Amino acid sequence: MVRRALAKNGSILIEQFPAVLAIADKAVRATEPVVVDFGVHLYCCAFNVFPDIFNRQNLISNVLSHVGSATSDSECGAGLNILVKLAEDAEQLKELWQFVETVLDNLASLSKVNLRKAWKMFTALIWKGNHGGALDDKVYGPLCMVLRKQLTN
C-alpha cells in the first residue's frame, strides 16, 4: 500500500522527501517491531520511488546513521535490513558504494547477527547483476581485503 501510494504520487511528493525520511527515521528508532518494519519498508520504497541521486545519497546517509548507532543493536539491525533489501532488489545501490563501504569500518563493533546481515548485503552487492561470471571489482576488492584481515586476526 505504501509503495503504491508513493509510486503513484512520487512526482508530487518529491518536495516532501525530507518528511518521508523523517518518518522512516523515527519508525526505525522505535521499540515496537511492527513500527520498525514499517520504517524499513518506507526507506526501501523511498529509495525505489525517488530516483534522484541526491535524494538517494541522503537516504543512504540516514540509513548508515542507524547502522553506526552505538545506542541500539536493534536500530543497527534495522539499518542493515534496509541495506540488505536494497542490495538484493536495487542495482542502483552499487552506484552509492562509496557510502555503503563505510559499513566496513564498523564490522568490529557489530553483533554476530548484525555481522551476518552486513556480509549478506556485501555478497548481494557483489553478485547482483553478475552477468557472465564477472565480479564487480569496486565492491569485491575492498571486501576481499577486509575478509583477509579478519581471517588473519
Tab-separated table of all heavy atoms in Angstrom, residues 88-148:
chain	number	residue	atom	x	y	z
A	88	GLU	N	19.635	-6.472	-2.533
A	88	GLU	CA	19.011	-7.589	-3.239
A	88	GLU	C	18.072	-7.127	-4.345
A	88	GLU	O	17.912	-7.805	-5.342
A	88	GLU	CB	18.243	-8.469	-2.245
A	88	GLU	CG	19.144	-9.234	-1.307
A	88	GLU	CD	18.388	-9.972	-0.225
A	88	GLU	OE1	17.189	-9.679	-0.007
A	88	GLU	OE2	19.002	-10.841	0.420
A	89	ASP	N	17.455	-5.959	-4.159
A	89	ASP	CA	16.421	-5.511	-5.087
A	89	ASP	C	16.853	-4.409	-6.037
A	89	ASP	O	16.235	-4.221	-7.071
A	89	ASP	CB	15.199	-5.001	-4.309
A	89	ASP	CG	14.546	-6.099	-3.481
A	89	ASP	OD1	14.720	-7.275	-3.818
A	89	ASP	OD2	13.878	-5.761	-2.493
A	90	ALA	N	17.856	-3.645	-5.678
A	90	ALA	CA	18.169	-2.449	-6.464
A	90	ALA	C	19.617	-2.444	-6.914
A	90	ALA	O	20.528	-2.319	-6.107
A	90	ALA	CB	17.869	-1.191	-5.642
A	91	GLU	N	19.808	-2.572	-8.195
A	91	GLU	CA	21.144	-2.500	-8.788
A	91	GLU	C	21.773	-1.125	-8.544
A	91	GLU	O	22.984	-0.983	-8.484
A	91	GLU	CB	21.032	-2.783	-10.296
A	91	GLU	CG	22.326	-2.750	-11.048
A	91	GLU	CD	23.214	-3.947	-10.775
A	91	GLU	OE1	22.720	-4.969	-10.299
A	91	GLU	OE2	24.424	-3.840	-11.039
A	92	GLN	N	20.921	-0.109	-8.332
A	92	GLN	CA	21.409	1.252	-8.157
A	92	GLN	C	22.209	1.439	-6.882
A	92	GLN	O	22.920	2.427	-6.741
A	92	GLN	CB	20.242	2.254	-8.163
A	92	GLN	CG	19.470	2.288	-9.448
A	92	GLN	CD	18.350	1.238	-9.487
A	92	GLN	OE1	18.212	0.421	-8.586
A	92	GLN	NE2	17.572	1.257	-10.536
A	93	LEU	N	22.110	0.529	-5.931
A	93	LEU	CA	22.865	0.675	-4.692
A	93	LEU	C	24.368	0.616	-4.968
A	93	LEU	O	25.155	1.242	-4.264
A	93	LEU	CB	22.463	-0.386	-3.669
A	93	LEU	CG	23.021	-0.207	-2.263
A	93	LEU	CD1	22.576	1.123	-1.661
A	93	LEU	CD2	22.573	-1.341	-1.360
A	94	LYS	N	24.765	-0.088	-6.016
A	94	LYS	CA	26.188	-0.139	-6.371
A	94	LYS	C	26.727	1.242	-6.719
A	94	LYS	O	27.892	1.528	-6.499
A	94	LYS	CB	26.409	-1.086	-7.543
A	94	LYS	CG	26.389	-2.533	-7.156
A	94	LYS	CD	26.759	-3.388	-8.340
A	94	LYS	CE	26.697	-4.841	-7.991
A	94	LYS	NZ	27.018	-5.687	-9.127
A	95	GLU	N	25.868	2.105	-7.269
A	95	GLU	CA	26.293	3.466	-7.603
A	95	GLU	C	26.675	4.247	-6.347
A	95	GLU	O	27.405	5.222	-6.421
A	95	GLU	CB	25.175	4.204	-8.339
A	95	GLU	CG	24.810	3.602	-9.671
A	95	GLU	CD	23.545	4.209	-10.244
A	95	GLU	OE1	23.001	5.174	-9.675
A	95	GLU	OE2	23.092	3.696	-11.279
A	96	LEU	N	26.162	3.827	-5.209
A	96	LEU	CA	26.413	4.521	-3.944
A	96	LEU	C	27.393	3.741	-3.070
A	96	LEU	O	27.399	3.890	-1.849
A	96	LEU	CB	25.082	4.747	-3.214
A	96	LEU	CG	24.063	5.573	-4.004
A	96	LEU	CD1	22.701	5.505	-3.366
A	96	LEU	CD2	24.527	7.003	-4.129
A	97	TRP	N	28.221	2.923	-3.687
A	97	TRP	CA	29.149	2.067	-2.959
A	97	TRP	C	30.044	2.873	-2.022
A	97	TRP	O	30.338	2.451	-0.923
A	97	TRP	CB	29.996	1.241	-3.922
A	97	TRP	CG	31.140	0.551	-3.240
A	97	TRP	CD1	32.454	0.822	-3.389
A	97	TRP	CD2	31.059	-0.491	-2.272
A	97	TRP	NE1	33.211	0.014	-2.588
A	97	TRP	CE2	32.373	-0.813	-1.878
A	97	TRP	CE3	30.017	-1.196	-1.690
A	97	TRP	CZ2	32.670	-1.802	-0.951
A	97	TRP	CZ3	30.317	-2.183	-0.754
A	97	TRP	CH2	31.624	-2.462	-0.400
A	98	GLN	N	30.488	4.056	-2.438
A	98	GLN	CA	31.385	4.846	-1.596
A	98	GLN	C	30.739	5.178	-0.257
A	98	GLN	O	31.438	5.365	0.732
A	98	GLN	CB	31.871	6.112	-2.308
A	98	GLN	CG	30.808	7.151	-2.595
A	98	GLN	CD	30.070	6.931	-3.903
A	98	GLN	OE1	30.120	5.869	-4.500
A	98	GLN	NE2	29.367	7.955	-4.344
A	99	PHE	N	29.423	5.245	-0.196
A	99	PHE	CA	28.729	5.477	1.067
A	99	PHE	C	28.594	4.168	1.849
A	99	PHE	O	28.894	4.101	3.033
A	99	PHE	CB	27.325	6.063	0.833
A	99	PHE	CG	27.348	7.435	0.238
A	99	PHE	CD1	27.176	7.630	-1.113
A	99	PHE	CD2	27.544	8.544	1.051
A	99	PHE	CE1	27.197	8.897	-1.665
A	99	PHE	CE2	27.565	9.818	0.515
A	99	PHE	CZ	27.400	9.989	-0.852
A	100	VAL	N	28.148	3.134	1.154
A	100	VAL	CA	27.888	1.843	1.788
A	100	VAL	C	29.186	1.228	2.322
A	100	VAL	O	29.189	0.532	3.341
A	100	VAL	CB	27.186	0.889	0.794
A	100	VAL	CG1	26.977	-0.475	1.396
A	100	VAL	CG2	25.865	1.490	0.336
A	101	GLU	N	30.290	1.527	1.673
A	101	GLU	CA	31.594	0.984	2.059
A	101	GLU	C	31.954	1.341	3.506
A	101	GLU	O	32.726	0.640	4.153
A	101	GLU	CB	32.655	1.507	1.093
A	101	GLU	CG	34.007	0.897	1.271
A	101	GLU	CD	35.000	1.407	0.223
A	101	GLU	OE1	34.765	2.468	-0.388
A	101	GLU	OE2	36.018	0.729	0.027
A	102	THR	N	31.371	2.416	4.032
A	102	THR	CA	31.681	2.821	5.410
A	102	THR	C	31.249	1.775	6.428
A	102	THR	O	31.739	1.777	7.560
A	102	THR	CB	31.032	4.173	5.766
A	102	THR	OG1	29.618	4.052	5.676
A	102	THR	CG2	31.525	5.271	4.846
A	103	VAL	N	30.356	0.877	6.051
A	103	VAL	CA	29.952	-0.212	6.951
A	103	VAL	C	31.157	-1.083	7.291
A	103	VAL	O	31.248	-1.641	8.390
A	103	VAL	CB	28.806	-1.049	6.340
A	103	VAL	CG1	28.470	-2.256	7.193
A	103	VAL	CG2	27.559	-0.185	6.144
A	104	LEU	N	32.104	-1.180	6.368
A	104	LEU	CA	33.311	-1.973	6.614
A	104	LEU	C	34.063	-1.482	7.850
A	104	LEU	O	34.679	-2.269	8.564
A	104	LEU	CB	34.241	-1.932	5.401
A	104	LEU	CG	33.770	-2.682	4.164
A	104	LEU	CD1	34.675	-2.379	2.983
A	104	LEU	CD2	33.692	-4.166	4.427
A	105	ASP	N	33.995	-0.183	8.114
A	105	ASP	CA	34.687	0.381	9.278
A	105	ASP	C	34.039	-0.030	10.591
A	105	ASP	O	34.681	0.030	11.641
A	105	ASP	CB	34.712	1.911	9.193
A	105	ASP	CG	35.452	2.401	7.963
A	105	ASP	OD1	36.344	1.678	7.473
A	105	ASP	OD2	35.130	3.509	7.486
A	106	ASN	N	32.774	-0.423	10.548
A	106	ASN	CA	32.035	-0.768	11.762
A	106	ASN	C	31.935	-2.264	12.026
A	106	ASN	O	31.281	-2.665	12.988
A	106	ASN	CB	30.608	-0.194	11.692
A	106	ASN	CG	30.578	1.301	11.657
A	106	ASN	OD1	31.468	1.959	12.189
A	106	ASN	ND2	29.570	1.861	11.020
A	107	LEU	N	32.530	-3.089	11.207
A	107	LEU	CA	32.356	-4.540	11.349
A	107	LEU	C	32.755	-5.053	12.728
A	107	LEU	O	32.091	-5.926	13.281
A	107	LEU	CB	33.135	-5.291	10.264
A	107	LEU	CG	32.601	-5.173	8.848
A	107	LEU	CD1	33.493	-5.953	7.886
A	107	LEU	CD2	31.168	-5.647	8.742
A	108	ALA	N	33.810	-4.511	13.294
A	108	ALA	CA	34.297	-4.998	14.590
A	108	ALA	C	33.311	-4.730	15.718
A	108	ALA	O	33.282	-5.464	16.707
A	108	ALA	CB	35.649	-4.364	14.918
A	109	SER	N	32.480	-3.712	15.562
A	109	SER	CA	31.551	-3.360	16.639
A	109	SER	C	30.174	-3.995	16.474
A	109	SER	O	29.307	-3.803	17.318
A	109	SER	CB	31.406	-1.842	16.722
A	109	SER	OG	30.833	-1.346	15.536
A	110	LEU	N	29.959	-4.761	15.413
A	110	LEU	CA	28.646	-5.361	15.171
A	110	LEU	C	28.473	-6.659	15.949
A	110	LEU	O	29.432	-7.410	16.152
A	110	LEU	CB	28.454	-5.651	13.677
A	110	LEU	CG	28.441	-4.459	12.732
A	110	LEU	CD1	28.303	-4.936	11.287
A	110	LEU	CD2	27.333	-3.496	13.089
A	111	SER	N	27.239	-6.920	16.355
A	111	SER	CA	26.922	-8.211	16.976
A	111	SER	C	26.994	-9.292	15.895
A	111	SER	O	27.048	-8.988	14.702
A	111	SER	CB	25.513	-8.170	17.582
A	111	SER	OG	24.544	-8.064	16.548
A	112	LYS	N	26.984	-10.547	16.298
A	112	LYS	CA	27.081	-11.637	15.323
A	112	LYS	C	25.918	-11.616	14.329
A	112	LYS	O	26.106	-11.834	13.141
A	112	LYS	CB	27.134	-12.982	16.035
A	112	LYS	CG	28.441	-13.243	16.722
A	112	LYS	CD	28.467	-14.610	17.377
A	112	LYS	CE	29.790	-14.811	18.091
A	112	LYS	NZ	29.880	-16.108	18.742
A	113	VAL	N	24.723	-11.344	14.842
A	113	VAL	CA	23.544	-11.292	13.968
A	113	VAL	C	23.691	-10.168	12.949
A	113	VAL	O	23.451	-10.364	11.753
A	113	VAL	CB	22.256	-11.102	14.809
A	113	VAL	CG1	21.052	-10.840	13.933
A	113	VAL	CG2	22.022	-12.310	15.697
A	114	ASN	N	24.106	-8.999	13.413
A	114	ASN	CA	24.257	-7.865	12.503
A	114	ASN	C	25.453	-8.040	11.570
A	114	ASN	O	25.429	-7.570	10.435
A	114	ASN	CB	24.356	-6.561	13.289
A	114	ASN	CG	23.021	-6.163	13.869
A	114	ASN	OD1	21.972	-6.580	13.395
A	114	ASN	ND2	23.041	-5.366	14.910
A	115	LEU	N	26.484	-8.715	12.031
A	115	LEU	CA	27.628	-9.004	11.164
A	115	LEU	C	27.196	-9.893	9.996
A	115	LEU	O	27.597	-9.676	8.853
A	115	LEU	CB	28.740	-9.662	11.980
A	115	LEU	CG	30.081	-9.853	11.290
A	115	LEU	CD1	30.650	-8.520	10.838
A	115	LEU	CD2	31.055	-10.540	12.228
A	116	ARG	N	26.341	-10.878	10.289
A	116	ARG	CA	25.817	-11.733	9.213
A	116	ARG	C	25.013	-10.912	8.206
A	116	ARG	O	25.103	-11.137	6.997
A	116	ARG	CB	24.952	-12.849	9.802
A	116	ARG	CG	25.743	-13.934	10.451
A	116	ARG	CD	24.850	-15.102	10.869
A	116	ARG	NE	25.577	-15.977	11.743
A	116	ARG	CZ	25.446	-16.015	13.063
A	116	ARG	NH1	24.574	-15.235	13.663
A	116	ARG	NH2	26.167	-16.833	13.794
A	117	LYS	N	24.218	-9.975	8.723
A	117	LYS	CA	23.437	-9.112	7.824
A	117	LYS	C	24.361	-8.266	6.948
A	117	LYS	O	24.106	-8.090	5.756
A	117	LYS	CB	22.517	-8.194	8.630
A	117	LYS	CG	21.379	-8.911	9.312
A	117	LYS	CD	20.565	-7.939	10.151
A	117	LYS	CE	19.519	-8.655	10.970
A	117	LYS	NZ	18.740	-7.721	11.803
A	118	ALA	N	25.422	-7.740	7.530
A	118	ALA	CA	26.361	-6.920	6.765
A	118	ALA	C	27.001	-7.744	5.648
A	118	ALA	O	27.073	-7.293	4.494
A	118	ALA	CB	27.431	-6.334	7.687
A	119	TRP	N	27.446	-8.945	5.967
A	119	TRP	CA	28.066	-9.783	4.936
A	119	TRP	C	27.049	-10.223	3.890
A	119	TRP	O	27.376	-10.365	2.711
A	119	TRP	CB	28.791	-10.979	5.563
A	119	TRP	CG	30.097	-10.564	6.143
A	119	TRP	CD1	30.427	-10.475	7.461
A	119	TRP	CD2	31.257	-10.121	5.429
A	119	TRP	NE1	31.712	-10.003	7.609
A	119	TRP	CE2	32.247	-9.792	6.374
A	119	TRP	CE3	31.561	-9.969	4.082
A	119	TRP	CZ2	33.504	-9.320	6.010
A	119	TRP	CZ3	32.810	-9.503	3.714
A	119	TRP	CH2	33.771	-9.188	4.684
A	120	LYS	N	25.797	-10.415	4.296
A	120	LYS	CA	24.745	-10.753	3.325
A	120	LYS	C	24.564	-9.604	2.338
A	120	LYS	O	24.418	-9.819	1.138
A	120	LYS	CB	23.438	-11.049	4.059
A	120	LYS	CG	22.314	-11.474	3.150
A	120	LYS	CD	21.073	-11.844	3.941
A	120	LYS	CE	19.970	-12.290	3.004
A	120	LYS	NZ	18.741	-12.625	3.735
A	121	MET	N	24.590	-8.374	2.854
A	121	MET	CA	24.454	-7.205	1.992
A	121	MET	C	25.639	-7.104	1.032
A	121	MET	O	25.468	-6.863	-0.164
A	121	MET	CB	24.348	-5.938	2.854
A	121	MET	CG	24.130	-4.656	2.089
A	121	MET	SD	25.582	-3.624	1.857
A	121	MET	CE	26.226	-3.424	3.472
A	122	PHE	N	26.843	-7.302	1.559
A	122	PHE	CA	28.031	-7.216	0.707
A	122	PHE	C	28.021	-8.279	-0.384
A	122	PHE	O	28.340	-7.992	-1.536
A	122	PHE	CB	29.305	-7.339	1.542
A	122	PHE	CG	29.572	-6.155	2.432
A	122	PHE	CD1	29.960	-6.338	3.748
A	122	PHE	CD2	29.435	-4.858	1.963
A	122	PHE	CE1	30.210	-5.257	4.572
A	122	PHE	CE2	29.680	-3.767	2.775
A	122	PHE	CZ	30.070	-3.971	4.089
A	123	THR	N	27.663	-9.500	-0.036
A	123	THR	CA	27.642	-10.557	-1.056
A	123	THR	C	26.556	-10.299	-2.092
A	123	THR	O	26.758	-10.569	-3.274
A	123	THR	CB	27.460	-11.954	-0.433
A	123	THR	OG1	26.279	-11.974	0.370
A	123	THR	CG2	28.657	-12.348	0.392
A	124	ALA	N	25.426	-9.748	-1.668
A	124	ALA	CA	24.378	-9.398	-2.636
A	124	ALA	C	24.884	-8.322	-3.595
A	124	ALA	O	24.607	-8.373	-4.794
A	124	ALA	CB	23.119	-8.927	-1.913
A	125	LEU	N	25.637	-7.357	-3.078
A	125	LEU	CA	26.191	-6.313	-3.942
A	125	LEU	C	27.191	-6.892	-4.938
A	125	LEU	O	27.266	-6.456	-6.085
A	125	LEU	CB	26.879	-5.231	-3.110
A	125	LEU	CG	25.973	-4.215	-2.440
A	125	LEU	CD1	26.780	-3.304	-1.533
A	125	LEU	CD2	25.211	-3.405	-3.467
A	126	ILE	N	27.975	-7.850	-4.492
A	126	ILE	CA	28.967	-8.447	-5.388
A	126	ILE	C	28.292	-9.233	-6.506
A	126	ILE	O	28.647	-9.110	-7.671
A	126	ILE	CB	29.925	-9.384	-4.614
A	126	ILE	CG1	30.830	-8.563	-3.705
A	126	ILE	CG2	30.750	-10.220	-5.572
A	126	ILE	CD1	31.674	-9.413	-2.778
A	127	TRP	N	27.295	-10.035	-6.159
A	127	TRP	CA	26.714	-10.954	-7.120
A	127	TRP	C	25.538	-10.383	-7.892
A	127	TRP	O	25.179	-10.917	-8.936
A	127	TRP	CB	26.286	-12.246	-6.434
A	127	TRP	CG	27.469	-12.979	-5.913
A	127	TRP	CD1	27.860	-13.083	-4.618
A	127	TRP	CD2	28.455	-13.682	-6.668
A	127	TRP	NE1	29.018	-13.805	-4.511
A	127	TRP	CE2	29.407	-14.192	-5.758
A	127	TRP	CE3	28.624	-13.934	-8.023
A	127	TRP	CZ2	30.505	-14.936	-6.163
A	127	TRP	CZ3	29.718	-14.685	-8.422
A	127	TRP	CH2	30.638	-15.172	-7.496
A	128	LYS	N	24.938	-9.309	-7.421
A	128	LYS	CA	23.775	-8.729	-8.108
A	128	LYS	C	24.195	-8.244	-9.488
A	128	LYS	O	25.121	-7.464	-9.640
A	128	LYS	CB	23.216	-7.564	-7.291
A	128	LYS	CG	21.987	-6.943	-7.880
A	128	LYS	CD	20.804	-7.845	-7.717
A	128	LYS	CE	19.568	-7.155	-8.250
A	128	LYS	NZ	18.458	-8.003	-8.335
A	129	GLY	N	23.503	-8.698	-10.476
A	129	GLY	CA	23.830	-8.267	-11.835
A	129	GLY	C	25.118	-8.886	-12.341
A	129	GLY	O	25.725	-8.365	-13.256
A	130	ASN	N	25.544	-9.997	-11.749
A	130	ASN	CA	26.776	-10.672	-12.135
A	130	ASN	C	26.532	-11.447	-13.433
A	130	ASN	O	26.183	-12.600	-13.412
A	130	ASN	CB	27.222	-11.607	-11.003
A	130	ASN	CG	28.502	-12.323	-11.324
A	130	ASN	OD1	29.219	-11.946	-12.236
A	130	ASN	ND2	28.778	-13.372	-10.584
A	131	HIS	N	26.697	-10.765	-14.542
A	131	HIS	CA	26.455	-11.384	-15.844
A	131	HIS	C	27.768	-11.919	-16.403
A	131	HIS	O	28.773	-11.243	-16.396
A	131	HIS	CB	25.854	-10.364	-16.814
A	131	HIS	CG	24.612	-9.736	-16.279
A	131	HIS	ND1	23.445	-10.436	-16.106
A	131	HIS	CD2	24.356	-8.478	-15.855
A	131	HIS	CE1	22.517	-9.642	-15.614
A	131	HIS	NE2	23.053	-8.435	-15.448
A	132	GLY	N	27.734	-13.125	-16.867
A	132	GLY	CA	28.918	-13.714	-17.481
A	132	GLY	C	29.988	-14.104	-16.478
A	132	GLY	O	31.120	-14.348	-16.851
A	133	GLY	N	29.659	-14.160	-15.206
A	133	GLY	CA	30.600	-14.615	-14.198
A	133	GLY	C	31.600	-13.579	-13.730
A	133	GLY	O	32.471	-13.878	-12.939
A	134	ALA	N	31.515	-12.354	-14.207
A	134	ALA	CA	32.467	-11.321	-13.797
A	134	ALA	C	32.012	-10.679	-12.485
A	134	ALA	O	30.863	-10.290	-12.348
A	134	ALA	CB	32.576	-10.256	-14.878
A	135	LEU	N	32.916	-10.602	-11.528
A	135	LEU	CA	32.597	-9.971	-10.254
A	135	LEU	C	32.768	-8.466	-10.366
A	135	LEU	O	33.555	-7.977	-11.168
A	135	LEU	CB	33.508	-10.519	-9.157
A	135	LEU	CG	33.334	-11.987	-8.814
A	135	LEU	CD1	34.414	-12.427	-7.850
A	135	LEU	CD2	31.970	-12.239	-8.220
A	136	ASP	N	32.035	-7.747	-9.553
A	136	ASP	CA	32.143	-6.288	-9.531
A	136	ASP	C	33.376	-5.923	-8.706
A	136	ASP	O	33.370	-6.036	-7.485
A	136	ASP	CB	30.874	-5.691	-8.929
A	136	ASP	CG	30.821	-4.193	-9.082
A	136	ASP	OD1	31.889	-3.575	-9.259
A	136	ASP	OD2	29.724	-3.640	-9.028
A	137	ASP	N	34.441	-5.468	-9.361
A	137	ASP	CA	35.719	-5.229	-8.691
A	137	ASP	C	35.689	-4.092	-7.684
A	137	ASP	O	36.406	-4.126	-6.695
A	137	ASP	CB	36.823	-4.973	-9.720
A	137	ASP	CG	37.248	-6.252	-10.421
A	137	ASP	OD1	37.063	-7.330	-9.823
A	137	ASP	OD2	37.753	-6.164	-11.548
A	138	LYS	N	34.867	-3.068	-7.915
A	138	LYS	CA	34.866	-1.960	-6.970
A	138	LYS	C	34.293	-2.380	-5.618
A	138	LYS	O	34.600	-1.775	-4.605
A	138	LYS	CB	34.132	-0.743	-7.531
A	138	LYS	CG	32.632	-0.816	-7.561
A	138	LYS	CD	32.058	0.486	-8.089
A	138	LYS	CE	30.543	0.411	-8.132
A	138	LYS	NZ	29.950	1.589	-8.697
A	139	VAL	N	33.475	-3.412	-5.603
A	139	VAL	CA	32.942	-3.954	-4.350
A	139	VAL	C	33.806	-5.116	-3.879
A	139	VAL	O	34.149	-5.219	-2.704
A	139	VAL	CB	31.475	-4.416	-4.541
A	139	VAL	CG1	30.928	-5.041	-3.266
A	139	VAL	CG2	30.603	-3.269	-4.993
A	140	TYR	N	34.192	-5.975	-4.791
A	140	TYR	CA	34.908	-7.211	-4.465
A	140	TYR	C	36.287	-6.964	-3.863
A	140	TYR	O	36.669	-7.594	-2.878
A	140	TYR	CB	35.026	-8.059	-5.734
A	140	TYR	CG	35.684	-9.395	-5.534
A	140	TYR	CD1	35.036	-10.402	-4.838
A	140	TYR	CD2	36.956	-9.647	-6.045
A	140	TYR	CE1	35.635	-11.641	-4.666
A	140	TYR	CE2	37.558	-10.875	-5.879
A	140	TYR	CZ	36.889	-11.865	-5.188
A	140	TYR	OH	37.474	-13.079	-5.008
A	141	GLY	N	37.037	-6.020	-4.403
A	141	GLY	CA	38.403	-5.753	-3.930
A	141	GLY	C	38.466	-5.361	-2.464
A	141	GLY	O	39.164	-6.011	-1.675
A	142	PRO	N	37.744	-4.305	-2.048
A	142	PRO	CA	37.781	-3.914	-0.633
A	142	PRO	C	37.258	-5.006	0.304
A	142	PRO	O	37.772	-5.184	1.405
A	142	PRO	CB	36.876	-2.680	-0.571
A	142	PRO	CG	36.854	-2.146	-1.953
A	142	PRO	CD	37.019	-3.323	-2.855
A	143	LEU	N	36.267	-5.758	-0.142
A	143	LEU	CA	35.737	-6.825	0.708
A	143	LEU	C	36.751	-7.940	0.915
A	143	LEU	O	36.887	-8.469	2.017
A	143	LEU	CB	34.456	-7.397	0.109
A	143	LEU	CG	33.235	-6.519	0.222
A	143	LEU	CD1	32.046	-7.174	-0.457
A	143	LEU	CD2	32.911	-6.228	1.664
A	144	CYS	N	37.453	-8.288	-0.141
A	144	CYS	CA	38.492	-9.322	-0.011
A	144	CYS	C	39.581	-8.882	0.959
A	144	CYS	O	40.054	-9.676	1.767
A	144	CYS	CB	39.101	-9.645	-1.363
A	144	CYS	SG	38.101	-10.764	-2.320
A	145	MET	N	39.959	-7.614	0.892
A	145	MET	CA	40.989	-7.101	1.781
A	145	MET	C	40.528	-7.187	3.249
A	145	MET	O	41.270	-7.651	4.117
A	145	MET	CB	41.326	-5.654	1.418
A	145	MET	CG	42.489	-5.078	2.186
A	145	MET	SD	43.004	-3.468	1.572
A	145	MET	CE	41.534	-2.499	1.805
A	146	VAL	N	39.299	-6.786	3.516
A	146	VAL	CA	38.773	-6.839	4.884
A	146	VAL	C	38.619	-8.285	5.343
A	146	VAL	O	38.958	-8.621	6.478
A	146	VAL	CB	37.425	-6.089	4.982
A	146	VAL	CG1	36.727	-6.364	6.305
A	146	VAL	CG2	37.646	-4.605	4.797
A	147	LEU	N	38.152	-9.144	4.471
A	147	LEU	CA	37.990	-10.553	4.831
A	147	LEU	C	39.328	-11.206	5.150
A	147	LEU	O	39.455	-11.930	6.140
A	147	LEU	CB	37.292	-11.300	3.687
A	147	LEU	CG	36.902	-12.740	3.956
A	147	LEU	CD1	35.990	-12.842	5.170
A	147	LEU	CD2	36.220	-13.325	2.745
A	148	ARG	N	40.348	-10.930	4.352
A	148	ARG	CA	41.681	-11.471	4.653
A	148	ARG	C	42.181	-10.978	6.001
A	148	ARG	O	42.748	-11.736	6.788
A	148	ARG	CB	42.662	-11.065	3.556
A	148	ARG	CG	42.593	-11.932	2.342
A	148	ARG	CD	43.725	-11.622	1.365
A	148	ARG	NE	43.152	-11.663	0.041
A	148	ARG	CZ	43.027	-10.646	-0.778
A	148	ARG	NH1	43.447	-9.450	-0.434
A	148	ARG	NH2	42.481	-10.782	-1.968
